Amino acid sequence: MTINRHESLGLSDQDVLELYRMMLLARRVDERMWLLNRAGKIPFVVSCQGQEAQQVGAAFALDREKDYTAPYYRDVGVVLALGMTARELMLQAFAKAEDPNSGGRQMPGHFGAKKLRMLSGSSPVTTQVPHAVGIGLAAKIEKKDIVSFVTLGEGSSNQGDFHEGLNFASVHKLPVIVMVENNQYAISIPLKKQVACEKISDRALGYGIPGITVDGNDPLAVYQAVKQAADRARASEGPTLIETVSYRLTPHSSDDDDSVYRNKEEVEEAKKKDGVLTFAQYLRDLNILTDSVESDLEQSLKEEIDQATTYAEAASYAEPKSIYHHVYGE
Amino acid sequence: MTINRHESLGLSDQDVLELYRMMLLARRVDERMWLLNRAGKIPFVVSCQGQEAQQVGAAFALDREKDYTAPYYRDVGVVLALGMTARELMLQAFAKAEDPNSGGRQMPGHFGAKKLRMLSGSSPVTTQVPHAVGIGLAAKIEKKDIVSFVTLGEGSSNQGDFHEGLNFASVHKLPVIVMVENNQYAISIPLKKQVACEKISDRALGYGIPGITVDGNDPLAVYQAVKQAADRARASEGPTLIETVSYRLTPHSSDDDDSVYRNKEEVEEAKKKDGVLTFAQYLRDLNILTDSVESDLEQSLKEEIDQATTYAEAASYAEPKSIYHHVYGE
Amino acid sequence: MAVLSYIQAITKALAEEMKRDEKVFVLGEDVGVRGGVFRATNGLYEQFGEERVIDTPLAESAIAGVGIGAAMYGMRPVAEMQFADFILPAVNQIISEAAKMRYRSNNDWTCPITIRAPYGGGVHGALYHSQSIEAVFANQPGLKIVMPATPRDAKGLLKSAIRDPDPVLFFEHKRAYRMLKEEVPETDELIPIGEADVKREGSDITVITYGLCVHFALEAANNLAEEGIDAHILDLRTIYPLDQDAIIKAASKTGKVLLITEDNKEGSILGEVAAIISEHCLFDLDAPIQRIAGPDVPAMPYAPPLEKEFMVNKDKIEQAMRSLAEF
Amino acid sequence: MAVLSYIQAITKALAEEMKRDEKVFVLGEDVGVRGGVFRATNGLYEQFGEERVIDTPLAESAIAGVGIGAAMYGMRPVAEMQFADFILPAVNQIISEAAKMRYRSNNDWTCPITIRAPYGGGVHGALYHSQSIEAVFANQPGLKIVMPATPRDAKGLLKSAIRDPDPVLFFEHKRAYRMLKEEVPETDELIPIGEADVKREGSDITVITYGLCVHFALEAANNLAEEGIDAHILDLRTIYPLDQDAIIKAASKTGKVLLITEDNKEGSILGEVAAIISEHCLFDLDAPIQRIAGPDVPAMPYAPPLEKEFMVNKDKIEQAMRSLAEF
Ligand SMILES: Cc1ncc(C[n+]2csc(CCOP(=O)(O)OP(=O)(O)O)c2C)c(N)n1
Ligand SMILES: Cc1ncc(C[n+]2csc(CCOP(=O)(O)OP(=O)(O)O)c2C)c(N)n1
Ligand SMILES: [Mg+2]
Ligand SMILES: [Mg+2]
């Protein structure tokens, strides 16, 4: 018999259903992106598939009215949970003027929206870690009740900025949560060729802060870890390093061919643990997700994504002459 | 009664006396530098005082015929033990053409000598860590029995290059020893404002390698730690991180005024644990260092340093036109 | 008006801005209790406390990157790089992040950070405490680079930099710190970023330069005045983006142009100045555009005779100005 | 002779050099099993094994820094930066270390590393996969920077870079990879670093450029030939240090000079080219020195119409060449 694990976390049945809806929305949006890419309609996709559970679980643990985030390029689940819409993501994918992230200037996956307190991200990995620490520093100076949440891939945790950012945050006891989404690969490089530590969270000791490793396929485990870290942060106890372990179910991006460096069996094996499936099963076992709820859900997501796609495809590009704008403030 | 600790390490009485001589030479050279600086004869000194024990202890544990080193600017003890002479150090201090480190191009403390397999160092801290890892990589590719030894200050262990270098070395299991000389300060910044970890060696866990903290005032403890690390390296077991704990007895450099940020009592307290004094006491207790040995030693060091100083002061600068040489190979 | 040294002018600008706007704070290595290794932040720790005068760990990419994050939040961080030479670990944060923040977010996020760093040679600093590093950054739209030559400019420009809505690199010549003194208004004077300044009106030859070389050029000009050579001296002040109009005007005025930098010659910012002139006022020129610069060797050596050979100085400049006048 | 694409020429040069000298090895992100994200190292892992084709952790400063250490030992590392845009975290290692190694050690230590990186736009790469980053480094004595425009040059210059006793940055235009093909000698052809190359002899106007723009210029020149305009095209090939003689000769030949880069205009390497010309052959000029470059905005956007607006192309070049000829 499946035990109800969300109640003790303070989550209602409605909360977890909403959590699941968000995970599924992320998955379905992502799947649609691939279809559009393969149809030649959008030039590039970088995927969240396999990481939705950790992304949505984490976002739900934040105060989405106050906290700041610096999501990385796979965080479709994070940004949806924070309030970005499927339509906005489609506008980004089609690089249209209305894309709130960059007006079509940046590639998909380069999120950012001031209205959501979501920092603008770039392509060079890990630069966002010090930025998130800077938000934490500002919060401390201004004595604001803000948690700064940042994510990155496990491969990216080998960049100098990871070390420098975490060290700064820990010395100054800043309200920062660094979540490493360990999906086992950095493009073609498997985990064991990226790091020699057992767990990415082992790095926390070097900063004198808690380091936690959780199952990234379990949104509730991630929710709990991020919630605790946020509580610590709000209590001025400093930063936390969280590692969420899962698997990248798609190639690195639409430009990648993963068959060169990993075999199908490995991917199939990982798919069995896919958080979208396992969490759905959990909800079904508890009778929260019934067949009818599920088919309504799928139906409404499909409509949402269809409309988003149609809208974005029809939307305009920015004016060519607009490229001269916003180099400096006026 | 003092117990003989060096025998079990395979060190003879003569070895430890030589070790002490080297420490004392480093100290006396350094003291002379300050006199010359205060007399306006040399523009700059950066000191080893308080760190001689760890420096000489470590160097003695290496194979000084084969191993490569990348010492940092305080490592007067390391470079002397590796074969640089007092005269050469004076030539460097006076920036004369014969300075083997750079021909007077670089400031004192920027060591390097190919004949000693000692990598050339620069001012930006921590860049030498990846270089030492590169030596380890070359040794591995070429299947050579070489250990690559690199040092840095504890403040410098917060640079990205520390993290990136150690991670690379650990993933590729390279024969590298990284020794952090923790002297409690990075210029004016005390340890607790540099790092939040308990020990710098706690960072080793993040690379899945051994991390060891030893008393930097005890040359035998350092010798032992470096020896074990070198054995590991030679057995293809990968890198080791060693932290040596001591105290910087002088201001950061001749340009610094340390009274602004620390009090005299703290320095006086640290002086009681000065490795040069405590190791001398150890040797006296074991009757290895007698009064007559000691006064002969001091006398001979004084002569060596006097001669070195006279020689270096009288030596020529490089030709002004030589600045155009060696930008590229011919 | 009080007479201030160049470094006092910097400190005063910082103190005034921190007092005016509590979003302004300082961070860097040894900027707190120590007041900076050059003492540029002297007294600020005592006046504003350790939360606004922050001693950071030794990690330049974090100093820049954390500053960038705080600037995105709405703070006005003033980051110090202990020496300009040590800004290089922070290049990715500065070029990929600070410079591109406004543009890449389509004006949604901004990054009003000021990064100060002492640069320049002639102080026995050897290869890594003497460099002019501006050319590394002088090709990055989104950034502004200011290099003041006088105490008054230093104060007025630093205040403008701190209030600027975009990232500004602010390079201070470390030899100017205590060597240059002048009267500086007590008032809240803001000197606009982006405007070059005629430091001497003249009609025979035009010298265009910036930083400490402005003084060498002024001294040389005084000597040459006695010989009847009247030099026009333009101080660029902001070296990126350049003040094209001022350059064109100054070059056209005399038709004989000498450009001076302390940086290595090839690839210095003088190339762009020469390009602007040869694009816009080629037919006004009566002589080839001359350049005086450091030699194309990595950086100046430590030994005094070697350093001297490297450094641009008044004599080298005076000679070049004389031959240009005689051209 | 076989017809090779630009990227095949790169791969061939690597394979030949690795075969010739076992000190040569390759390191970088995804260069091993994956053969590189662009497949420049395709097949090398299979041929030379994982000890000489090294997949590194994702850390550019380490890739450069570890390569530098290995080069000091006496190896000949060829480091790949996955995109030129991502070389920025390694700037400190490249400028402070590689470029200054020989000089600072007074010729005792050397650093024969080659660092390859794909650069350039027009591939829907947006801000961070499209940049021309060379100007950041084109002011650093001790470094050499090579940017070949053709498969044959790519092969011959890469071989020279690997054998060069000093650090070489080797930037490959990613759009050239599969777009350009030509016959490349099977022989061990070495093309000397430091020498520009006349890609087209002409007498009316001079175009000086490098990289992919060479092709745009050649195409434009072909069109213009039909109108009776005869363009001389100099391909810089090595953009630091520049081949001054070749520049002076090419500029003097026609007296009308157009400089082209894909980089942002202000502060690009064209400034130095213009400075060389205006220093050495001002009186041979019949027209102002013209420049075509990317606009001074941070980098090219992603949306196709925006990217197009940014990119230098054949039409823009042809038009500029025509008006220069008519000047
Ligand atoms: C500084 C930098 N170097 C290289 C790249 C190219 N790159 C993009 S994603 C990636 C792998 C990232 O792996 P990981 O951090 O594990 O994140 P994942 O993609 O697996 O989620 C690489 C090498 C980059 N974006 N930035
Ligand atoms: C990249 C860089 N930033 C700043 C400096 C200036 N600097 C020189 S030594 C030093 C402190 C180093 O402290 P630590 O690593 O603890 O070594 P220690 O001097 O105490 O032996 C600083 C900030 C530098 N040399 N390089
Ligand atoms: Mg990954
Ligand atoms: Mg220290």
Side-chain angles (χ1 to χ4, degrees):
Chain A
M1 212 203 75
T2 300
I3 296 164
N4 181 321
R5 296 193 296 123
H6 58 271
E7 219 166 59
S8 62
L9 296 172
L11 293 170
S12 67
D13 289 358
Q14 211 183 319
D15 291 337
V16 286
L17 196 58
E18 175 59 16
L19 202 161
Y20 176 67
R21 193 184 73 83
M22 226 24 122
M23 285 169 55
L24 199 63
L25 175 58
R27 173 65 56 93
R28 296 292 177 250
V29 166
D30 204 278
E31 287 169 345
R32 181 67 59 88
M33 299 278 186
W34 281 91
L35 289 178
L36 292 166
N37 175 263
R38 292 322 185 206
K41 295 208 169 184
I42 60 173
F44 184 76
V45 189
V46 59
S47 242
C48 65
Q49 293 186 42
Q51 297 173 227
E52 296 88 345
Q54 60 207 264
Q55 292 170 357
V56 178
F60 269 58
L62 300 174
D63 182 333
R64 285 176 275 168
E65 302 296 313
K66 283 199 270 186
D67 294 342
Y68 278 64
T69 61
Y72 93 118
Y73 49 84
R74 286 198 198 286
D75 277 338
V76 179
V78 171
V79 305
L80 285 170
L82 289 169
M84 197 165 286
T85 64
R87 176 192 282 195
E88 290 173 328
L89 289 176
M90 281 298 167
L91 284 162
Q92 181 184 45
F94 281 94
K96 297 301 174 69
E98 280 179 77
D99 157 31
N101 299 283
S102 77
R105 288 179 170 192
Q106 292 216 77
M107 298 175 91
H110 291 62
F111 304 113
K114 197 163 188 180
K115 64 174 195 258
L116 303 174
R117 297 166 315 287
M118 183 190 295
L119 305 191
S120 165
S122 64
S123 306
V125 299
T126 326
T127 51
Q128 71 273 21
V129 174
H131 301 173
V133 175
I135 296 291
L137 182 65
K140 187 181 170 193
I141 296 175
E142 300 246 299
K143 304 196 193 336
K144 290 276 166 62
D145 176 33
I146 289 169
V147 170
S148 179
F149 172 79
V150 60
T151 57
L152 66 157
E154 82 296 343
S156 302
S157 81
N158 297 315
Q159 286 278 342
D161 272 356
F162 174 82
H163 179 60
E164 297 193 8
L166 270 165
N167 187 63
F168 194 113
S170 65
V171 168
H172 290 277
K173 274 196 175 286
L174 303 179
V176 178
I177 304 172
V178 178
M179 184 168 106
V180 176
E181 301 188 27
N182 178 355
N183 62 8
Q184 315 300 325
Y185 283 91
I187 308 187
S188 72
I189 316 290
L191 187 60
K192 67 170 195 305
K193 283 207 163 184
Q194 300 172 53
V195 302
C197 51
E198 270 178 50
K199 306 197 290 318
I200 302 292
S201 62
D202 285 346
R203 298 188 163 172
L205 190 69
Y207 312 109
I209 60 170
I212 294 151
T213 294
V214 287
D215 178 359
N217 285 315
D218 179 356
L220 298 179
V222 177
Y223 175 88
Q224 183 172 20
V226 174
K227 190 98 183 106
Q228 278 169 2
D231 290 346
R232 265 180 50 79
R234 290 189 209 287
S236 303
E237 289 167 22
T240 304
L241 174 63
I242 298 173
E243 174 190 20
T244 53
V245 180
S246 65
Y247 190 89
R248 194 191 74 210
L249 296 176
T250 63
H252 173 74
S253 74
S254 52
D255 290 343
D256 184 33
D257 172 8
D258 62 342
S259 69
V260 185
Y261 55 82
R262 64 181 183 183
N263 57 43
K264 281 225 168 61
E265 294 74 58
E266 185 185 302
V267 183
E268 289 312 315
E269 205 51 46
K271 278 191 178 160
K272 294 183 192 153
K273 299 184 201 146
D274 177 358
V276 174
L277 301 185
T278 54
F279 196 56
Q281 192 57 51
Y282 170 82
L283 296 178
R284 268 189 226 107
D285 290 350
L286 294 177
N287 221 20
I288 297 169
L289 188 69
T290 61
D291 283 356
S292 85
V293 170
E294 188 157 16
S295 72
D296 288 357
L297 182 53
E298 290 282 10
Q299 183 57 31
S300 87
L301 294 183
K302 184 171 181 305
E303 274 165 28
E304 187 176 344
I305 295 168
D306 284 347
Q307 282 168 16
T309 309
T310 310
Y311 184 91
E313 192 169 2
S316 310
Y317 287 120
E319 281 301 310
K321 296 294 171 211
S322 72
I323 75 162
Y324 305 104
H325 301 157
H326 311 317
V327 179
Y328 298 102
E330 263 95 61
Chain B
M1 215 201 73
T2 299
I3 296 164
N4 182 320
R5 296 192 296 124
H6 57 271
E7 221 168 58
S8 63
L9 296 173
L11 294 170
S12 68
D13 290 357
Q14 213 183 316
D15 290 337
V16 287
L17 197 57
E18 175 58 16
L19 201 162
Y20 177 66
R21 194 184 73 79
M22 225 26 121
M23 285 169 55
L24 199 62
L25 174 59
R27 173 66 56 92
R28 296 293 177 252
V29 166
D30 204 278
E31 288 168 345
R32 181 66 59 89
M33 299 279 187
W34 281 91
L35 290 177
L36 291 166
N37 175 262
R38 293 321 187 205
K41 294 207 169 185
I42 60 172
F44 184 77
V45 190
V46 59
S47 243
C48 65
Q49 294 186 41
Q51 298 173 224
E52 296 89 344
Q54 60 207 264
Q55 292 170 358
V56 178
F60 270 57
L62 299 174
D63 183 331
R64 285 177 276 169
E65 303 294 313
K66 283 199 273 187
D67 294 341
Y68 279 64
T69 61
Y72 92 118
Y73 49 85
R74 289 199 195 286
D75 277 337
V76 179
V78 171
V79 304
L80 284 169
L82 289 169
M84 197 164 287
T85 65
R87 176 192 280 194
E88 290 173 328
L89 288 176
M90 282 297 169
L91 284 162
Q92 181 185 43
F94 281 94
K96 296 302 175 68
E98 280 180 77
D99 157 32
N101 299 283
S102 77
R105 289 178 170 193
Q106 290 216 77
M107 298 176 91
H110 292 62
F111 304 113
K114 198 162 187 179
K115 64 174 194 258
L116 303 174
R117 296 165 315 287
M118 182 190 295
L119 305 192
S120 165
S122 63
S123 306
V125 299
T126 326
T127 51
Q128 71 273 22
V129 174
H131 301 174
V133 176
I135 297 291
L137 181 66
K140 187 180 170 193
I141 296 175
E142 300 247 299
K143 305 198 192 337
K144 290 276 166 60
D145 177 32
I146 289 169
V147 169
S148 179
F149 172 79
V150 59
T151 58
L152 66 157
E154 83 295 345
S156 302
S157 81
N158 297 315
Q159 286 278 341
D161 272 357
F162 174 82
H163 178 61
E164 297 193 8
L166 269 165
N167 187 63
F168 194 113
S170 65
V171 168
H172 288 278
K173 273 196 175 286
L174 302 179
V176 178
I177 303 173
V178 179
M179 183 169 108
V180 176
E181 302 188 26
N182 177 356
N183 62 6
Q184 315 300 326
Y185 283 90
I187 307 187
S188 72
I189 316 289
L191 187 60
K192 68 171 194 305
K193 283 204 165 186
Q194 299 172 54
V195 301
C197 50
E198 270 177 50
K199 306 197 291 314
I200 301 291
S201 62
D202 286 345
R203 297 187 164 173
L205 191 68
Y207 312 110
I209 60 170
I212 294 151
T213 294
V214 288
D215 179 0
N217 285 315
D218 179 355
L220 299 179
V222 177
Y223 175 88
Q224 183 172 20
V226 174
K227 191 98 182 104
Q228 278 170 2
D231 290 346
R232 266 179 50 79
R234 289 189 210 287
S236 303
E237 290 168 21
T240 304
L241 175 63
I242 298 174
E243 175 190 20
T244 55
V245 180
S246 66
Y247 191 89
R248 194 191 75 211
L249 296 176
T250 61
H252 174 74
S253 75
S254 52
D255 290 343
D256 184 33
D257 172 8
D258 62 342
S259 70
V260 184
Y261 55 83
R262 64 181 183 183
N263 58 43
K264 282 224 169 58
E265 293 74 57
E266 184 184 302
V267 182
E268 288 313 315
E269 205 49 46
K271 277 192 179 159
K272 294 183 192 156
K273 301 185 200 146
D274 177 358
V276 174
L277 301 185
T278 54
F279 196 55
Q281 192 55 52
Y282 169 81
L283 296 177
R284 268 191 226 102
D285 290 350
L286 294 177
N287 222 19
I288 296 170
L289 187 69
T290 61
D291 284 355
S292 85
V293 170
E294 188 157 17
S295 72
D296 288 356
L297 182 54
E298 289 283 9
Q299 184 57 31
S300 87
L301 294 182
K302 184 172 180 309
E303 275 164 26
E304 187 176 343
I305 295 168
D306 284 347
Q307 282 168 17
T309 308
T310 310
Y311 183 90
E313 193 168 3
S316 307
Y317 287 120
E319 282 300 311
K321 296 293 172 213
S322 72
I323 75 162
Y324 305 104
H325 301 157
H326 311 317
V327 179
Y328 298 102
E330 263 96 61
Chain C
M1 292 222 276
V3 171
L4 297 184
S5 69
Y6 189 99
I7 196 165
Q8 285 169 331
I10 300 286
T11 312
K12 203 140 189 294
L14 290 171
E16 285 178 14
E17 291 305 300
M18 291 183 77
K19 210 163 160 190
R20 186 188 59 80
D21 179 358
E22 56 174 34
K23 299 274 180 197
V24 179
F25 72 98
V26 164
L27 76 168
E29 294 154 11
D30 305 292
V31 298
V33 184
R34 181 77 175 77
V37 294
F38 288 100
R39 299 226 172 281
T41 54
N42 199 18
L44 300 181
Y45 183 86
E46 292 73 15
Q47 197 177 344
F48 300 102
E50 76 173 331
E51 287 229 323
R52 290 181 66 201
V53 186
I54 303 176
D55 274 326
T56 66
L58 173 39
E60 285 75 11
S61 187
I63 294 172
V66 171
I68 289 166
M72 291 176 81
Y73 176 88
M75 304 300 286
R76 294 277 168 165
V78 184
E80 176 175 303
M81 299 285 153
Q82 201 158 80
F83 285 83
D85 316 62
F86 305 144
I87 203 173
L88 294 180
V91 163
N92 190 39
Q93 282 290 349
I94 296 169
I95 294 182
S96 298
E97 303 300 318
K100 296 184 175 62
M101 191 61 73
R102 181 189 293 277
Y103 194 77
R104 79 181 187 215
S105 68
N106 206 24
N107 215 29
D108 194 26
W109 287 100
T110 63
C111 186
I113 188 175
T114 301
I115 301 181
R116 299 177 39 250
Y119 81 100
V123 298
H124 308 308
L127 273 76
Y128 297 99
H129 300 80
S130 303
Q131 290 172 65
S132 297
I133 209 84
E134 63 275 12
V136 170
F137 300 98
N139 173 240
Q140 299 300 335
L143 275 188
K144 297 174 184 173
I145 310 177
V146 174
M147 300 182 77
T150 70
R152 183 171 178 172
D153 283 351
K155 181 165 176 237
L157 282 163
L158 182 51
K159 290 169 72 91
S160 294
I162 293 170
R163 298 188 201 183
D164 198 274
D166 292 299
V168 179
L169 300 185
F170 195 90
F171 292 120
E172 305 158 8
H173 201 293
K174 62 178 89 76
R175 213 175 132 201
Y177 273 158
R178 290 179 170 81
M179 188 174 104
L180 302 183
K181 294 187 173 71
E182 71 175 340
E183 299 224 320
V184 177
E186 306 281 353
T187 59
D188 194 29
E189 185 180 50
L190 293 177
I191 295 178
I193 294 176
E195 291 184 13
D197 186 45
V198 176
K199 285 286 193 286
R200 187 185 198 281
E201 290 281 353
S203 52
D204 294 330
I205 58 170
T206 297
V207 175
I208 303 180
T209 183
Y210 59 101
L212 193 65
C213 291
V214 171
H215 295 276
F216 299 149
L218 283 169
E219 282 177 38
N222 283 346
N223 292 354
L224 290 169
E226 293 167 19
E227 299 173 25
I229 299 171
D230 188 20
H232 187 79
I233 299 182
L234 184 72
D235 173 6
L236 292 168
R237 297 202 294 199
T238 296
I239 61 98
Y240 188 85
L242 285 165
D243 183 348
Q244 293 216 13
D245 293 343
I247 291 168
I248 294 166
K249 203 169 148 203
S252 309
K253 186 168 185 203
T254 71
K256 290 179 170 184
V257 184
L258 173 66
L259 311 179
I260 311 173
T261 183
E262 199 184 301
D263 193 6
N264 312 104
K265 184 174 182 182
E266 181 167 352
S268 80
I269 66 134
L270 298 187
E272 183 63 33
V273 179
I276 291 169
I277 297 170
S278 51
E279 210 165 358
H280 294 283
C281 39
L282 185 88
F283 297 120
D284 297 327
L285 296 185
D286 302 317
I289 301 172
Q290 302 292 311
R291 284 187 288 171
I292 294 193
D296 285 322
V297 313
M300 64 190 76
Y302 180 58
L306 307 190
E307 180 183 79
K308 181 151 180 273
E309 175 72 19
F310 185 106
M311 275 293 285
V312 168
N313 58 35
K314 196 210 66 185
D315 293 345
K316 291 181 193 173
I317 292 172
E318 192 172 316
Q319 206 180 312
M321 286 167 73
R322 190 180 293 109
S323 25
L324 185 58
E326 286 162 3
F327 188 91
Chain D
M1 293 221 276
V3 171
L4 296 184
S5 69
Y6 189 98
I7 195 164
Q8 285 170 331
I10 299 287
T11 312
K12 204 141 189 295
L14 290 170
E16 285 179 15
E17 291 305 299
M18 291 183 77
K19 209 162 163 193
R20 186 189 57 82
D21 179 358
E22 55 175 38
K23 299 273 179 198
V24 179
F25 72 97
V26 163
L27 77 167
E29 294 155 10
D30 307 292
V31 298
V33 183
R34 181 78 174 77
V37 295
F38 288 100
R39 299 226 172 280
T41 54
N42 199 18
L44 300 182
Y45 183 87
E46 291 72 16
Q47 196 176 346
F48 300 102
E50 75 172 332
E51 288 228 322
R52 290 182 67 202
V53 186
I54 302 174
D55 274 326
T56 66
L58 173 39
E60 285 76 10
S61 188
I63 294 171
V66 171
I68 289 167
M72 292 176 80
Y73 176 89
M75 305 299 286
R76 295 275 168 166
V78 184
E80 176 175 304
M81 299 285 154
Q82 201 158 80
F83 285 83
D85 317 64
F86 305 145
I87 202 173
L88 295 179
V91 163
N92 190 39
Q93 283 290 348
I94 295 169
I95 294 182
S96 298
E97 304 300 319
K100 297 184 174 62
M101 192 60 72
R102 181 188 294 275
Y103 194 77
R104 79 181 188 214
S105 69
N106 206 23
N107 216 29
D108 193 26
W109 287 99
T110 63
C111 186
I113 188 175
T114 301
I115 302 181
R116 299 177 39 249
Y119 80 100
V123 298
H124 308 308
L127 274 76
Y128 297 99
H129 300 81
S130 302
Q131 291 173 66
S132 297
I133 209 85
E134 63 273 14
V136 170
F137 300 98
N139 173 241
Q140 300 298 335
L143 275 189
K144 297 173 184 172
I145 310 176
V146 175
M147 300 181 77
T150 69
R152 182 171 178 171
D153 283 351
K155 181 166 176 238
L157 282 162
L158 182 52
K159 289 168 72 92
S160 294
I162 293 169
R163 299 189 200 181
D164 197 274
D166 292 300
V168 179
L169 299 185
F170 195 90
F171 293 119
E172 304 158 7
H173 201 295
K174 63 179 87 77
R175 214 175 130 200
Y177 274 158
R178 290 181 169 80
M179 188 174 105
L180 302 183
K181 294 186 174 68
E182 71 175 339
E183 299 224 319
V184 176
E186 306 282 352
T187 59
D188 195 29
E189 184 180 50
L190 293 177
I191 295 179
I193 293 176
E195 290 183 14
D197 186 44
V198 176
K199 285 285 193 286
R200 185 184 200 281
E201 290 280 354
S203 51
D204 294 330
I205 58 170
T206 297
V207 175
I208 304 179
T209 184
Y210 59 102
L212 193 65
C213 291
V214 170
H215 295 276
F216 299 149
L218 284 168
E219 282 177 39
N222 283 346
N223 292 353
L224 290 169
E226 293 167 19
E227 300 172 23
I229 298 170
D230 188 19
H232 188 79
I233 298 181
L234 184 72
D235 173 6
L236 292 168
R237 295 202 295 201
T238 296
I239 61 98
Y240 189 85
L242 285 165
D243 183 348
Q244 294 217 10
D245 293 343
I247 292 168
I248 294 166
K249 202 168 148 204
S252 309
K253 186 167 184 205
T254 71
K256 290 178 171 184
V257 185
L258 173 66
L259 312 179
I260 311 173
T261 183
E262 199 183 301
D263 193 7
N264 311 105
K265 183 174 183 182
E266 181 167 352
S268 80
I269 67 135
L270 298 187
E272 183 63 32
V273 178
I276 291 169
I277 296 170
S278 50
E279 209 164 0
H280 294 283
C281 39
L282 186 88
F283 298 121
D284 297 328
L285 296 185
D286 302 316
I289 302 173
Q290 302 291 313
R291 285 187 287 172
I292 294 192
D296 285 323
V297 312
M300 64 190 77
Y302 180 58
L306 309 190
E307 181 182 77
K308 181 151 180 274
E309 176 73 19
F310 184 107
M311 276 292 285
V312 168
N313 58 37
K314 197 211 65 182
D315 293 345
K316 292 181 193 173
I317 292 173
E318 191 173 316
Q319 205 179 312
M321 286 168 72
R322 189 179 294 111
S323 23
L324 184 58
E326 287 162 2
F327 188 91

